[in-house]
Amino acid sequence: MKTIKKGDWFTIDQIDEDTYIISEYRHWEETHCYLLNGTQKSLLIDTGLGICNIYDEVIKLTDKPVMAVATHIHWDHIGGHKYFPDFFAHAAELDWLNGKFPLSAETVRGMVAERCDLPDGFDVGDYEMFQGQPTGLFGDGDVVDLGGRSIKVLHTPGHSPGHLCFWEEGRGYLFTGDLVYKDRLFAYYPSTDPEDYLASLEKLALLVGQTSNQEQAVSVEKMLSVAHTTPKAQKIFPAHHSLDIWPEIILRMRDAFRQLKADGKLHHGSGVFEYGDWSVWL
């Protein structure tokens, strides 16, 4: 991976010849968006805060028609959707695109003002959460054909009811949105569901390949060297924070959530639990 632009609002890294990361490091959660280029069209996974125009960056990286999709309908993932008339979402969060997002516009503007290193001249009073009618809906198991690249949609609720991850088996890429990243995971909002979170981690763990009780004791290095019949994620790409993150973290998260459930703590109000390079707030 190499950085091809750094500074201003967006930082752009190149994963391979037709896959890019467009990052907003001046936001406190360091949001990452992903551009996947095929031979016929491009897919943009998340569009950031909408403070600066992500479309201007995208058109430098593709000359194909661009479909935008949100991993979930939170303000820091859909702000740039206003620049893409062709966008997709999950049915469970359509109300959030139609005036029923759980946070008020004033609350979101406050977070933008307090938690972002805003560009010169940006008036936070003008900031609006994106609202709109999607082109279509994505559901679990749908496949997006970009021409030479097939991306599978995985419904992975927990952080939000319509949260989506995206799996590209051909390259072993797993785009995990807000379900999996280093730092603190949020599962305490009323719109989150800790039990669903565990179920979604169980689903993603199948792509890592370690699922049996006996295998849980195997070291990460040995586990990654074992051949599995199930297609295996080679690299994961989160929506926030460090890009130095690997599929084994999914197994550690799954196991921690399993233990929280066994201990009767997998529910709202349990508190914050620390696990080294990640934590969860329930």
Side-chain angles (χ1 to χ4, degrees), residues 69-249:
V69 65
T71 54
H72 58 300
I73 308 301
H74 282 175
W75 60 280
D76 51 331
H77 296 264
I78 63 168
H81 273 49
K82 59 189 175 184
Y83 303 113
F84 300 92
D86 192 16
F87 77 92
F88 292 77
H90 189 276
E93 295 176 2
L94 284 183
D95 284 351
W96 292 358
L97 286 167
N98 190 29
K100 296 182 180 179
F101 187 68
L103 298 179
S104 69
E106 291 74 17
T107 299
V108 172
R109 289 190 193 105
M111 289 191 289
V112 170
E114 295 170 8
R115 302 179 181 183
C116 295
D117 175 17
L118 295 170
D120 292 341
F122 181 81
D123 184 354
V124 72
D126 293 335
Y127 186 79
E128 298 287 345
M129 290 185 291
F130 175 76
Q131 301 281 266
Q133 182 66 33
T135 307
L137 303 176
F138 280 153
D140 190 56
D142 287 346
V143 175
V144 185
D145 184 0
L146 302 178
R149 303 182 73 171
S150 293
I151 315 301
K152 187 174 183 179
V153 180
L154 304 176
H155 182 213
T156 50
H159 177 75
S160 70
H163 190 281
L164 300 173
C165 292
F166 298 89
W167 165 233
E168 184 175 10
E169 180 182 338
R171 305 190 190 201
Y173 293 169
L174 179 60
F175 301 88
T176 58
D178 277 16
L179 192 79
V180 174
Y181 57 81
K182 288 184 176 180
D183 210 282
R184 182 159 295 169
L185 305 179
F186 297 113
Y188 71 94
Y189 302 120
S191 56
T192 67
D193 188 315
E195 291 278 353
D196 282 351
Y197 214 121
L198 171 57
S200 293
L201 289 172
E202 297 279 10
K203 177 185 283 191
L204 294 192
L206 296 175
L207 298 177
V208 180
Q210 185 189 26
T211 57
S212 72
N213 291 333
Q214 292 87 351
E215 287 175 316
Q216 290 178 34
V218 179
S219 69
V220 171
E221 291 80 7
K222 185 176 181 181
M223 179 271 293
L224 291 176
S225 69
V226 175
H228 294 274
T229 57
T230 302
K232 195 164 65 175
Q234 302 297 321
K235 187 72 175 74
I236 64 173
F237 299 97
H240 296 294
H241 302 305
S242 177
L243 294 168
D244 183 18
I245 182 171
W246 296 91
E248 57 82 23
I249 197 172

